Amino acid sequence: MDATKISNYHTDDFIILENGEVWDNDRIKQYMRKQLSMEDRAKRINKMDYISIDKYGESMQIAYNNYAEFMKADTLVGKASWLESALAVKTDEGW
């Protein structure tokens, strides 16, 4: 949840299509700051089950099921699951 480290993991032109919206790095930083400002937020634990990982030259497409559990102390307070995909392009720094 450290918004200052986004550039360590995302290219400058990063976007994600999220629930009918386009999220770029600025939108993700805004979301992270909002989450951090919540005093009693649940801890989110994600698990991914990969459906496919296909490499095409200098790019790779990944499809996976994403599962999240939301915990407060030792209590499960919520669950979510959704289908996602990603396209990664190889750069000098990695994928």
Side-chain angles (χ1 to χ4, degrees):
M1 295 299 281
D2 185 347
T4 65
K5 294 184 179 179
I6 288 290
S7 62
N8 294 347
Y9 302 102
H10 296 176
T11 56
D12 291 340
D13 60 350
F14 174 89
I15 63 167
I16 188 169
L17 307 177
E18 184 72 27
N19 197 27
E21 298 177 348
V22 178
W23 286 33
D24 60 9
N25 289 330
D26 289 335
R27 176 73 168 91
I28 292 169
K29 288 175 189 176
Q30 176 186 15
Y31 174 81
M32 291 170 77
R33 289 181 185 121
K34 180 181 175 188
Q35 291 297 307
L36 285 173
S37 72
M38 297 170 57
E39 291 182 22
D40 192 32
R41 75 178 187 282
K43 178 180 178 184
R44 177 175 164 170
I45 303 163
N46 279 72
K47 179 183 128 193
M48 298 173 187
D49 288 329
Y50 293 93
I51 299 165
S52 65
I53 301 174
D54 298 307
K55 187 172 182 268
Y56 305 97
E58 296 297 310
S59 65
M60 177 173 33
Q61 180 177 346
I62 308 155
Y64 53 96
N65 289 301
N66 197 342
Y67 304 94
E69 292 183 340
F70 300 89
M71 305 288 293
K72 284 191 179 181
D74 292 332
T75 303
L76 179 66
V77 295
K79 286 180 149 186
S81 62
W82 57 99
L83 177 65
E84 285 191 339
S85 66
L87 175 68
V89 177
K90 192 169 188 177
T91 68
D92 291 338
E93 291 82 32
W95 288 97

